[in-house]
Amino acid sequence: MKQDPFQPISLLCAQWKKKLASKRVDDLSTDEKKALNEHLISCLACTRVQAEYKAMDDAINHLPPVQPLACLPNELVALMEKQQRKDSMYNNEISKAADSVISPAFIQKRKTQKGAMDAQFNDRSSSRWAQAVSSLAAVLVVSLIVGAAFVLFSHKPGSGHTIAGSGITAVSSTSIPATAHTVLYTNLETKKANIYAVDPRNGSVFWKVTLPTKLTTSNLTSYQGLLFAPGYDGNLYALSATNGAIAWKYSVKDDPSQKVAPGTNIPSSPIVNGNVVYFGAGSGFYAINIHTGKLLWYVKENCKTTQVNQQGNTIIVQSDPSCNLVLGTVANGRVYAYFGGLYVLDAQTGNELWHDKRFQFAGPESIAVVDDNVYVYSSEPNSLFILNASTGSQKTKALGTSNLGLGGIMAADGVVYYNSGQELLALHGTQILWTQNYRLMDLLAGSNGTLFISSMHPLEGTPQVRGEQGTYFYALDAKTGAIKWHWGEKGDSWGPGSLLSFDGKLYFVIWMQQGNKWTDIQALWVLHNGQRDMFPIKES
Amino acid sequence: MYQIPGDKTLQGPDPENKPLDMIVEQARQGDGTAFAALFTIFNGPICTYLARMVGNDELGRDLAQETFLQAWKGLLNLHGDLHFRAWLYRIATNVAYSHLRRANLIHWLPWTTNDEETGYTEPNVIGPESWIGEIEQVQQVLARLTPQYKACLLLQLVAGFSQRQIAAMLGINEKTVGANVCRGREQFRQIYRQMEGDEK
């Protein structure tokens, strides 16, 4: 029986009108579609409603299309370039660079940023992007250099001795004073990590040791006569900084939780503070006494690690993206860790002191602590926040940044340097000491009143005219930010993976150049007073 | 109610005829070229969506830039239960909300699912309406819609998402999506009529 098209709205019609107003045909079940069609045949009211909504939707859908963006936004391109460059800085084996046994402020900073980068960040050093953007040549150089590394530093059978029970081979071991400045570097490519301690004065090798595993970071630092090497085999190795001998190793295979995916429990980003080395692993954070190698505390987090794999030089830990497990920094008795927010733990007990879920892990160099101030970068929105270290309360209005949101932070000598992407700021407490209009650069290290940064374009350029791409190192006056001197060259953009600075000079290990050409000889570079010295690495 | 074509990105075309998932995965690995391909695919639809959301083409493009920037920075956080397209529109929606919130242009409503709580009423069925569709007037009407209604309406109408997809995207109940679409239409009708009356 047909329904009178002019009869009052029935309950059935009311239901259909509600659906007509809110749903698409696709959202209806097959039965609903069939029922609707049957109803529309017999109901003029609902047919009119449907026609009305169709007309309304047509009116919206037939609005003229919006002219799209003409090209990739400049800031996005810059960000990609920056990311690519950072990868060169931290992940490419072009660097194989040095690390420090000095300058504790920088030790902590370098450990934090590099460890986090190595263990938690996907390797964005894509060769495709390199091709697309700028640096195919750089990639080729990297390939040559990596290849050369195997030649130069491959283990020589019979030239060393095995430390009983450790699987560790020491080669050309020469004891050095625990207080000596030493450039430490390693190669992440080899299945067995070779670690070198190099004399920063002349490039000679103090000692070399081979571990039975790859390392999860190339950023090795020593502290109180020990250096800490996190292995892909699940061990954190503590080695003597004087001769490379193993002091102890701690295995996270026996993680108290035992609930992480197989193969995902690897130590990463060790940070030493006091007599304790802190690091993250598959399911939580560990605190180990550096003298005994004994576990002091373990904090399990509910971040489900699903997979670990290696791409290039980077260990990728895939986990619940809402809780990236990253150790940020350790300072003044507090451990700053990210897992679904910034959590601050008591360094002695691991007990939570406070947390703030606004701050997600935003990449390396995103947190620094000086005195009672926590400087933390947030990408949502792109801002630098200064928090009270004791309570987590916000001290001042957040400092906005550019949309680039790079937010590199480095602390040295009580001053925090903040790279906003558009400019470089120096802060003491909550006060801005100076601001310089340096765009798209990287904070490297500093010592003796000198701050080192690098850029892929000359800093003297303008946003409109950035100058030719290349590799440029700058030494800034830490008091004013003014340029003291610079050294650089046009061409490929690259950067050392880790650095040493203790006397106003910048030290790192990279390949030798003759004229403008790279060679396959690894060398210690020393940048000072606008010039570069190179010392070929010499194994005794 | 009728079948809508949605935007071109529904089919995931790409310049090299690669599956969208493959391009997304390459971009997740840091491949800038792949991300540029994604930009090419979604540039127009996202600009259109955002321009409709904020009622201004130029502003929509500005917000689209921010959307793609955030997408690049957040790609690592993209995980399996939300496809890239939905994820990108979610970012765009949040970017639009943020802008409107900063500009104090939003009257925020709680996300609720209960019809009684939200004052849900059946759509007005007096009609049919003759939608002349003057461009400027339709744009003005859209600009005045409550953002939450407008987001659901545009995501369904212009972007072609299902209510289930919109619900997952915005983190709200599917019924709420339906109610918001319904309210959006009703609001559209009322404002349109009011403007017509004013003109007369």
Side-chain angles (χ1 to χ4, degrees):
Chain A
M1 186 178 72
K2 282 202 170 185
Q3 186 179 0
D4 180 355
F6 298 103
Q7 74 177 23
I9 301 299
S10 68
L11 180 62
L12 184 62
C13 287
Q15 290 171 348
W16 279 122
K17 280 194 283 284
K18 186 175 173 181
K19 289 188 178 180
L20 286 167
S22 66
K23 291 208 171 194
R24 303 182 310 162
V25 169
D26 276 355
D27 292 331
L28 298 178
S29 68
T30 306
D31 289 344
E32 282 179 319
K33 287 177 188 173
K34 185 179 175 184
L36 173 63
N37 287 333
E38 288 176 355
H39 179 73
L40 290 176
I41 290 171
S42 61
C43 179
L44 180 59
C46 286
T47 304
R48 291 167 67 186
V49 168
Q50 185 189 34
E52 180 182 19
Y53 287 140
K54 183 178 187 310
M56 182 189 295
D57 295 350
D58 281 346
I60 295 172
N61 270 321
H62 291 161
L63 286 172
V66 175
Q67 188 72 26
L69 294 165
C71 58
L72 276 170
N74 288 337
E75 287 183 330
L76 178 56
V77 172
L79 187 62
M80 288 170 157
E81 286 181 353
K82 181 77 177 175
Q83 185 65 55
Q84 178 205 1
R85 190 158 169 278
K86 282 204 168 192
D87 295 338
S88 295
M89 297 283 289
Y90 298 117
N91 292 325
N92 281 340
E93 279 302 312
I94 193 171
S95 46
K96 309 292 183 306
D99 212 283
S100 143
V101 290
I102 44 81
S103 184
F106 292 124
I107 287 174
Q108 182 165 307
K109 177 255 175 186
R110 299 299 304 174
K111 274 188 288 196
T112 301
Q113 68 184 48
K114 186 63 177 72
M117 173 66 90
D118 282 342
Q120 298 292 342
F121 250 23
N122 270 342
D123 183 359
R124 288 189 175 273
S125 57
S126 155
S127 59
R128 287 191 58 189
W129 175 241
Q131 291 161 11
V133 178
S134 62
S135 297
L136 176 59
V139 174
L140 295 174
V141 169
V142 170
S143 303
L144 286 170
I145 290 172
V146 170
F150 286 100
V151 175
L152 192 60
F153 294 116
S154 59
H155 175 60
K156 298 172 185 174
S159 62
H161 63 277
T162 300
I163 299 172
S166 68
I168 296 175
T169 304
V171 180
S172 57
S173 177
T174 304
S175 289
I176 55 175
T179 55
H181 298 307
T182 308
V183 178
L184 296 169
Y185 70 99
T186 188
N187 184 342
L188 291 178
E189 286 297 311
T190 53
K191 290 182 179 177
K192 295 183 178 181
N194 295 318
I195 300 174
Y196 298 83
V198 172
D199 188 339
R201 295 168 299 183
N202 53 26
S204 62
V205 175
F206 284 135
W207 53 258
K208 171 189 171 187
V209 70
T210 302
L211 296 181
T213 177
K214 288 182 181 180
L215 298 185
T216 63
T217 179
S218 63
N219 191 45
L220 301 174
T221 56
S222 75
Y223 180 83
Q224 294 188 14
L226 293 169
L227 68 92
F228 301 91
Y232 201 62
D233 62 353
N235 289 310
L236 177 72
Y237 292 89
L239 305 177
S240 165
T242 59
N243 58 19
I246 187 170
W248 51 261
K249 64 179 180 180
Y250 184 87
S251 173
V252 295
K253 288 178 183 172
D254 301 324
D255 186 309
S257 78
Q258 293 277 350
K259 288 183 179 176
V260 294
T264 64
N265 226 10
I266 54 170
S268 64
S269 60
I271 296 177
V272 198
N273 190 275
N275 292 321
V276 182
V277 57
Y278 305 86
F279 63 94
S283 64
F285 298 102
Y286 293 75
I288 308 289
N289 183 298
I290 63 170
H291 301 300
T292 64
K294 301 296 183 187
L295 179 68
L296 298 176
W297 54 259
Y298 165 79
V299 175
K300 178 192 172 190
E301 302 310 335
N302 294 320
C303 293
K304 188 176 179 183
T305 306
T306 55
Q307 189 179 355
V308 171
N309 52 50
Q310 184 163 12
Q311 292 191 359
N313 302 330
T314 302
I315 302 298
I316 298 171
V317 180
Q318 295 178 351
S319 61
D320 180 345
S322 66
C323 52
N324 279 326
L325 198 75
V326 181
L327 192 58
T329 188
V330 182
N332 303 328
R334 299 183 187 92
V335 176
Y336 297 82
Y338 291 96
F339 42 97
L342 175 64
Y343 281 74
V344 181
L345 313 176
D346 185 310
Q348 286 195 328
T349 64
N351 293 334
E352 181 185 326
L353 300 175
W354 54 268
H355 73 268
D356 193 328
K357 292 197 172 184
R358 286 180 302 170
F359 303 112
Q360 301 292 327
F361 175 63
E365 307 172 35
S366 61
I367 187 168
V369 177
V370 173
D371 299 328
D372 196 37
N373 297 311
V374 182
Y375 302 82
V376 58
Y377 168 74
S378 169
S379 59
E380 298 292 341
N382 295 324
S383 299
L384 176 72
F385 290 80
I386 305 176
L387 311 178
N388 182 308
S390 303
T391 63
S393 60
Q394 193 170 328
K395 284 195 167 183
T396 62
K397 186 179 177 183
L399 291 171
T401 73
S402 75
N403 283 337
L404 296 179
L406 301 175
I409 307 172
M410 186 178 81
D413 300 328
V415 176
V416 168
Y417 300 95
Y418 176 48
N419 164 22
S420 75
Q422 298 284 13
E423 48 190 16
L424 176 62
L425 295 84
L427 298 119
H428 181 67
T430 58
Q431 186 181 9
I432 297 176
L433 300 178
W434 51 257
T435 303
Q436 292 284 355
N437 185 28
Y438 301 147
R439 301 177 77 248
L440 296 175
M441 50 83 193
D442 278 309
L443 294 162
L444 297 179
S447 64
N448 278 20
T450 299
L451 177 67
F452 290 99
I453 64 175
S454 68
S455 174
M456 64 193 301
H457 295 281
L459 291 183
E460 294 85 350
T462 65
Q464 290 74 33
V465 183
R466 293 199 294 175
E468 287 194 61
Q469 184 176 326
T471 303
Y472 302 92
F473 293 91
Y474 286 85
L476 308 180
D477 183 335
K479 289 183 179 175
T480 64
I483 297 172
K484 294 166 82 172
W485 53 261
H486 81 272
W487 180 90
E489 56 189 8
K490 300 170 187 173
D492 306 325
S493 292
W494 54 268
S498 55
L499 308 139
L500 170 64
S501 178
F502 59 93
D503 55 359
K505 299 178 182 179
L506 192 64
Y507 300 84
F508 53 87
V509 174
I510 201 166
W511 303 94
M512 190 122 178
Q513 281 185 326
Q514 288 180 343
N516 291 325
K517 293 185 178 179
W518 295 93
T519 72
D520 58 358
I521 303 169
Q522 199 147 11
L524 171 72
W525 287 37
V526 184
L527 302 183
H528 62 100
N529 301 321
Q531 67 185 60
R532 173 195 59 182
D533 297 335
M534 285 191 297
F535 303 96
I537 299 295
K538 301 186 292 278
E539 288 193 63
S540 56
Chain B
M1 185 166 60
Y2 56 95
Q3 197 68 268
I4 62 165
D7 63 48
K8 293 177 181 177
T9 63
L10 282 170
Q11 303 307 316
D14 79 275
E16 300 174 8
N17 295 319
K18 288 181 182 172
L20 187 61
D21 288 349
M22 183 183 295
I23 303 175
V24 170
E25 186 51 35
Q26 287 173 342
R28 284 189 77 247
Q29 300 301 322
D31 188 332
T33 307
F35 192 79
L38 293 173
F39 172 81
T40 302
I41 295 168
F42 292 102
N43 180 12
I46 290 293
C47 284
T48 298
Y49 171 64
L50 284 166
R52 303 278 188 263
M53 277 296 290
V54 297
N56 181 296
D57 289 7
E58 192 59 42
L59 182 55
R61 278 189 287 273
D62 287 347
L63 297 181
Q65 289 194 30
E66 191 175 337
T67 298
F68 284 109
L69 268 172
Q70 289 196 16
W72 169 254
K73 289 191 284 189
L75 256 182
L76 290 176
N77 293 333
L78 174 62
H79 51 103
D81 59 352
L82 198 60
H83 292 296
F84 176 80
R85 182 170 173 274
W87 179 76
L88 189 64
Y89 271 90
R90 178 165 70 181
I91 294 174
T93 304
N94 288 335
V95 165
Y97 283 170
S98 294
H99 164 78
L100 294 170
R101 190 183 282 116
R102 282 196 300 271
N104 289 323
L105 298 175
I106 278 186
H107 171 59
W108 288 96
L109 301 170
W111 290 119
T112 54
T113 57
N114 185 293
D115 289 351
E116 286 71 29
E117 287 177 14
T118 55
Y120 174 82
T121 54
E122 289 179 11
N124 187 334
V125 294
I126 300 171
E129 197 71 50
S130 174
W131 297 101
I132 300 170
E134 291 96 342
I135 291 171
E136 190 175 345
Q137 190 166 341
V138 172
Q139 286 176 328
Q140 287 175 357
V141 174
L142 267 182
R144 291 173 59 181
L145 294 186
T146 300
Q148 286 142 301
Y149 301 165
K150 182 162 52 180
C152 291
L153 185 63
L154 291 176
L155 287 170
Q156 176 170 304
L157 197 61
V158 177
F161 288 106
S162 71
Q163 292 191 357
R164 182 168 297 176
Q165 289 171 317
I166 297 169
M169 188 191 309
L170 301 181
I172 57 178
N173 189 290
E174 200 172 331
K175 285 184 179 176
T176 306
V177 176
N180 284 344
V181 171
C182 190
R183 292 189 200 102
R185 288 186 194 279
E186 190 55 28
Q187 217 177 36
F188 190 103
R189 177 216 300 271
Q190 290 175 0
I191 296 171
Y192 192 94
R193 279 187 174 167
Q194 183 186 347
M195 291 176 71
E196 275 192 327
D198 291 345
E199 284 183 359
K200 290 173 185 174

